[in-house]
Amino acid sequence: MAGSPRRTAGRRLQLPLLCLLLQGATAILFAVFVRYNHETDAALWHWRNHSNADNEFYFRYPSFQDVHTMIFVGFGFLMVFLQRYGFSSVGFTFLLAAFALQWSTLVQGFFHSFHGGHIHVGVESMINADFCAGAVLISFGAILGKTGPAQLLLMALLEVVLFGLNEFVLLSLLGVKDAGGSMTIHTFGAYFGLVLSRVLYRPQLEKSKHRQGSVYHSDLFAMIGTIFLWIFWPSFNSAPTTLGDGQHRTALNTYYSLTASTLSTFALSALVGRDGRLDMVHVQNAALAGGVVVGTSAEMMLTPFGALVAGFLAGTVSTLGYKFFTPILESKLKVQDTCGVHNLHGMPGVLGALLGVLVAGLATHEAYGDGLESVFPLLAKGQRSATSQAMHQLFGLFVTLIFASVGGSLGGLLLRLPFLDSPPDSQCYEDQIYWEVPGEHEDLAQGPLRAEEPETRA
Amino acid sequence: MAGSPRRTAGRRLQLPLLCLLLQGATAILFAVFVRYNHETDAALWHWRNHSNADNEFYFRYPSFQDVHTMIFVGFGFLMVFLQRYGFSSVGFTFLLAAFALQWSTLVQGFFHSFHGGHIHVGVESMINADFCAGAVLISFGAILGKTGPAQLLLMALLEVVLFGLNEFVLLSLLGVKDAGGSMTIHTFGAYFGLVLSRVLYRPQLEKSKHRQGSVYHSDLFAMIGTIFLWIFWPSFNSAPTTLGDGQHRTALNTYYSLTASTLSTFALSALVGRDGRLDMVHVQNAALAGGVVVGTSAEMMLTPFGALVAGFLAGTVSTLGYKFFTPILESKLKVQDTCGVHNLHGMPGVLGALLGVLVAGLATHEAYGDGLESVFPLLAKGQRSATSQAMHQLFGLFVTLIFASVGGSLGGLLLRLPFLDSPPDSQCYEDQIYWEVPGEHEDLAQGPLRAEEPETRA
Amino acid sequence: MAGSPRRTAGRRLQLPLLCLLLQGATAILFAVFVRYNHETDAALWHWRNHSNADNEFYFRYPSFQDVHTMIFVGFGFLMVFLQRYGFSSVGFTFLLAAFALQWSTLVQGFFHSFHGGHIHVGVESMINADFCAGAVLISFGAILGKTGPAQLLLMALLEVVLFGLNEFVLLSLLGVKDAGGSMTIHTFGAYFGLVLSRVLYRPQLEKSKHRQGSVYHSDLFAMIGTIFLWIFWPSFNSAPTTLGDGQHRTALNTYYSLTASTLSTFALSALVGRDGRLDMVHVQNAALAGGVVVGTSAEMMLTPFGALVAGFLAGTVSTLGYKFFTPILESKLKVQDTCGVHNLHGMPGVLGALLGVLVAGLATHEAYGDGLESVFPLLAKGQRSATSQAMHQLFGLFVTLIFASVGGSLGGLLLRLPFLDSPPDSQCYEDQIYWEVPGEHEDLAQGPLRAEEPETRA
């Protein structure tokens, strides 16, 4: 495969060795640094003598499970649309996310919950790690089909660190609000992946053109991913927000925004389609843009009307992006964006950041009452004006774009290291390089079972 | 496609214009009327100074997410059984339900939570809107494959209003109990759709007969829908019931009822099948009848034994309906019921309403203790006897059948408006009219990858 | 089919009669014995005058739903990998589990919640019944494709009783801890099924060899099962543990263990694969071993590092088992293990039990503080030393292996009763014996729709 026996032998070892090395390293770091927090440690929890009902678990675990479903089922199956890359799409999602969960527990732990020489973990670190895995999978979407699993693990190794750093700068240093991650997850993940894809540009990719499309059943599998992402996005945005009205409002706003992006996606897809036909690519992706676009503002007093407008715009921009901008991105800017993450995460993420600037700038004591403390603590304490918060939000977007671009460039250089196993241009989007692939319908073609003559098969 | 260029141009515009028009209208109505309720509004929630743990979100949001999964994954994939209509089944479910959520938030809001000129929204309105979307999707099941998406949106526009009105008459005016919607959702949705299908009767539908069946993989996709509906039905019935023992008991009764309908479905399917073979259509549908049949009574003191008997009867009636009644429905009554909603929602819904009559009529202070107040408040206050409650329940069924029949007739006349795009008889159950459809297995047929000679493909 | 008309007539009746008989029997037993517990009974709950927020429902129902998803979606689809046995895999899972839920409610109820002549039910009995169904489905995995549905129901009838008895001996008599069921569910279910498969050994099974493999799409369906099992396993292990830190810690440990088993599975699969290729069988199964291996110890103070090590070992052992041990199991020990349950549940279950011995033996008052009372009540009360607890844990494993082996032997003798319908060697792994099976892609092969000439199809 892929030319020479030597490369095959190299490939045989790169993935397993890297897995073992990374697992060994994180295990050692876990042994040294990671400890149960006061909600998961038997002694600490009982020492404090809390009521069990107060354990954070009961407030966040159901949301965590929805997020977990989005990461593994949602992202995994969304990428199964490629006709010959289903095993890799769902399998590498599984591998990448599993590693990212461990690695980001460490990285985010150092930045956010490092006390007394230890990282303290519980349901909040689980949610945050899943969020970071989400960003890695968004980047994966841009380069889907054009990289090997060892390359992907190296990308995750780098991206998780930069994700954690960017998140720390925004949330902790700049006091930016971004619960659902329009900036930290979607914008960061998308532009990291797009810049990385630019560095890995393959001028001869048309050699694999015949495998870039979907087939009927692969599109249905992809809809499993889409629908699970769509239904659980309210949990995604609300999982890390403040308890009470915060989580409740965030979920509600996201729910409305998604209904609007669905309607605008169907409208625009039919408008720009041949003979008014709908395009599954749009439905699978752009309908989700409503979740991305309120990632920053859903916890704010966006109003239900505001959520509808935001979702509508996001679905529109995203659908038009798939139709008109993706081809230009490849032909003019040499960015080959397999899943169209620029349309689903990039543009809606930036829009979402700007929407956050607007809604933060409009925040008043009147609108939020005593709830201002939980949404904009710096405003409530009088340390910042609404306009200043808006400016900080805008600066957060700028920082994110810098981190993503520099990170994507570094990632691209890393993945181009010549000894790394990478599929040849003619074998992109092809499972058989990395997987034992069974045939298709060998037996089914034989028509109805003929039990009278079983010998004919033996 | 479909004959003339003029019709094609018409189709090209009907769906997008209708989407945009409806989205614009609901957005304006949202701006004017919809406001956060006291559990989602930052100022109102904090002004009341509640404990965050008391926020309704924590009592109902996990159930909401299960219901949401049923509507979009459950209904969407259940209808994917058709071999050439998978994109439309899951796609139009997505579109219809997204619109219904917005529109029913307004309609139900006017009837149930309109105070001070505003509709107040939160997790309860989210659940109720999903319920209304469920009724719309049941009706969709009856006419699946025979209508265009613009027609479906118009149907939803009408049906949501009538659903809201019927629900208001039953729950608010008549004091009927129907938490899981045996009447308001299943009976209403089924007979609305069946009457509508009668009005749209196509005598030449056998032209599309070859596409009405399933293929092996489409039946497996449909099982995704079935199983998600089955596992989450306890959440469906319990989502809107009173907190505490109410939700707990409702979930438990539904769980038992579903196990019994599964056993009776397998038993009856094998009994009536050719050579004792099981039929996937029965398993996919009739096994769910146990959830429908306890929609009214699951919150009552039905007893676990009662739940088993109810589920057993529902699975039996439903399976026999698929085998013997559906053909008659088409041949004699000219009702073409694509998904057999009469068997899954119609008959079990009516049975469920009658079971509610029975169980309500048997209610005693002894059996419910102080819990009578939450299940039958009018009985607890002495304003109604158990017999009177039972009579009201029965009258509620009657009202529902009237609303559904009149509504379905109106809907049928609306959908027959001559300028509306509708698939010709020869193109029913066919995705290609509305979707860009990729081929199937283009590449997979090429057999094992031959990497030694990649040039042969370039 | 299957030879003679007489056998066909026999098959026609065995399944439905058994379903009806079993349903009738459980219904009668429910009527006599099963009652709402004090959390689901309207009178009892309100008599106690609790706060609704204290109802067990709110602490366990979200976890229950995750477990329910694992049993029906997870196990059901995991077994769909067989190319011609998808209907049976998901359908018989559905049937078996539905029956097991009813029957184990009774059996477990007699052992665990029988007071005043009645079994009292609520969310905890729902979770426990699902657990028992899990064990039955594990055994089903060993004999998948080689037994008829009536045989399977008889197996469940026996296995549920022995499961309940073994569980009672371990948890109630021996005071063994096993929240996530490394012993009671995985070890028991696996060895019950393996011994049963040994008794049913078919020397001529190669007649069905061509149907034992997967096809491309069936492997993707199986990944639906894998991923849902993987994401919800933290809920599985934590569903029955003590509230507060107990559930929280259990979920966290399981989450870490699973990430590690995923990494080691990918590493080992590539290491032992041809040309370094990954094997879907390993990814679908061995990646889950991390959930099994911490089934006993996840509620203990395992530490995050301990969870990683445990998961890593389990994934390694499981992958190597699929590669090297399964062939030997068949050729030398005459155990035909269709799904490789020995690798996913057997060895990791035993490992998990031993890990529980170790972690229990290391328990100290210092590490658990006042939490010792909820994890090891007998230690906290001073009735047992940590070493003694460890010995009891080890003895529990021994007891489980005895119960499973004897039970599997009895089950095998039962299923070999000559009048029972069983597929012939040449028709194993074949849906058509038990199901009406549609063709595949009849219509799709016709290429693009030709609407101009619809007559050609009519």
Side-chain angles (χ1 to χ4, degrees), chain B residues 36-107:
Chain B
Y36 296 126
N37 70 12
H38 68 279
E39 314 235 357
T40 46
D41 185 282
L44 293 176
W45 177 255
H46 287 271
W47 177 68
R48 296 221 183 175
N49 212 6
H50 279 306
S51 157
N52 284 326
D54 292 336
N55 197 295
E56 196 85 0
F57 183 78
Y58 301 105
F59 295 96
R60 301 205 188 270
Y61 186 73
S63 302
F64 160 74
Q65 275 298 3
D66 294 348
V67 173
H68 216 39
T69 306
M70 292 174 72
I71 298 299
F72 287 87
V73 179
F75 279 102
F77 279 91
L78 184 60
M79 300 198 245
V80 170
F81 74 98
L82 289 169
Q83 59 185 281
R84 288 290 291 170
Y85 209 62
F87 287 14
S88 302
S89 294
V90 73
F92 296 160
T93 293
F94 196 11
L95 173 65
L96 271 188
F99 167 64
L101 295 186
Q102 291 184 20
W103 182 225
S104 64
T105 299
L106 289 161
V107 171

Side-chain angles (χ1 to χ4, degrees), chain A residues 167-188:
Chain A
E167 189 187 47
F168 176 71
V169 171
L170 264 67
L171 305 191
S172 301
L173 300 189
L174 295 176
V176 161
K177 300 297 288 188
D178 193 27
S182 288
M183 288 176 272
T184 54
I185 301 168
H186 300 289
T187 303
F188 179 83

Side-chain angles (χ1 to χ4, degrees), chain C residues 217-381:
Chain C
H217 281 130
S218 71
D219 269 327
L220 286 176
F221 276 114
M223 280 302 286
I224 298 175
T226 298
I227 299 288
F228 274 102
L229 286 168
W230 196 92
I231 58 176
F232 288 143
W233 216 298
S235 302
F236 189 91
N237 286 346
S238 67
T241 58
T242 52
L243 300 186
D245 66 302
Q247 287 197 298
H248 201 160
R249 184 173 57 251
T250 309
L252 184 68
N253 286 330
T254 309
Y255 165 92
Y256 287 136
S257 180
L258 285 160
T259 61
S261 60
T262 303
L263 278 163
S264 62
T265 295
F266 274 85
L268 271 290
S269 183
L271 263 186
V272 303
R274 186 168 61 89
D275 294 333
R277 287 211 185 87
L278 295 159
D279 190 328
M280 259 294 166
V281 172
H282 304 159
V283 172
Q284 283 159 1
N285 292 280
L288 298 168
V292 176
V293 80
V294 296
T296 302
S297 57
E299 67 173 320
M300 305 174 188
M301 289 292 283
L302 175 62
T303 79
F305 167 72
L308 287 185
V309 173
F312 182 84
L313 286 177
T316 302
V317 166
S318 186
T319 306
L320 295 177
Y322 275 100
K323 182 74 183 179
F324 300 112
F325 196 56
T326 295
I328 295 173
L329 207 62
E330 173 155 6
S331 62
K332 303 287 182 203
L333 302 177
K334 300 191 189 308
V335 177
Q336 292 156 329
D337 180 6
T338 311
C339 293
V341 302
H342 188 250
N343 308 305
L344 171 48
H345 302 279
M347 291 189 293
V350 171
L351 262 185
L354 297 176
L355 182 63
V357 172
L358 178 70
V359 183
L362 294 173
T364 61
H365 276 272
E366 206 185 336
Y368 290 78
D370 290 346
L372 193 62
E373 170 69 32
S374 42
V375 183
F376 295 113
L378 298 175
L379 264 72
K381 291 174 198 151

Side-chain angles (χ1 to χ4, degrees), chain B residues 1-5 7-8 11 421-424 426-427 433, chain C residues 449 451-452:
Chain B
M1 195 65 51
S4 78
R7 289 204 55 182
T8 301
R11 182 171 60 238
D421 175 46
S422 176
S426 63
Q427 301 302 337
I433 313 185
Chain C
L449 181 75
E452 308 79 53

